[in-house]
Amino acid sequence: MMTDKTSIQLLAIGYHPEIMQVVHRLINSHDGWQGTIAASMDEAAQLLQRNAYDGILLCAGVTEADEAQVRNIAAGTRVIRHYGGGSGLLENEIRMAFDI
């Protein structure tokens, strides 16, 4: 789906609303980056069935079993595990995954 290296559609999945609000804000603060947030695996599965994403960001609370389910539903889509840290770490994780 990615048309150029500055246009990225990301789905961020995480189970802590306060953290996910920050993640959403940080993703969308970059020109060309568009983030969508899923607060549960059910919501993530529905979004993945309806939309194409360039990458999936796994955030706070997402288990290994959840990750396996995501990889099954969205085979071939980049999956990035975000362990927390700061806005710089999140940005670098995304930039490294997309080589930008």
Side-chain angles (χ1 to χ4, degrees):
M1 177 180 175
M2 204 163 103
T3 56
D4 62 55
K5 290 191 179 242
T6 59
S7 176
I8 302 172
Q9 297 290 323
L10 296 167
L11 174 62
I13 305 167
Y15 308 145
H16 299 276
E18 301 83 15
I19 293 171
M20 296 311 295
Q21 288 175 4
V22 173
V23 168
H24 189 246
R25 180 179 50 80
L26 292 171
I27 291 170
N28 290 316
S29 70
H30 289 82
D31 286 339
W33 293 13
Q34 178 62 45
T36 302
I37 301 300
S40 70
M41 271 308 300
D42 287 340
E43 184 180 6
Q46 290 174 15
L47 288 165
L48 288 167
Q49 290 172 357
R50 291 192 313 247
N51 305 291
Y53 295 95
D54 300 307
I56 302 166
L57 193 63
L58 305 178
C59 301
V62 177
T63 66
E64 288 182 18
D66 295 340
E67 181 176 350
Q69 184 178 354
V70 166
R71 289 182 183 277
N72 186 47
I73 295 169
T77 303
R78 289 178 176 96
V79 176
I80 306 159
R81 177 63 84 161
H82 176 58
Y83 292 100
S87 60
L89 179 59
L90 175 64
E91 179 180 352
N92 286 337
E93 289 168 340
I94 294 168
R95 289 189 181 281
M96 285 178 55
F98 289 96
D99 195 28
I100 52 175

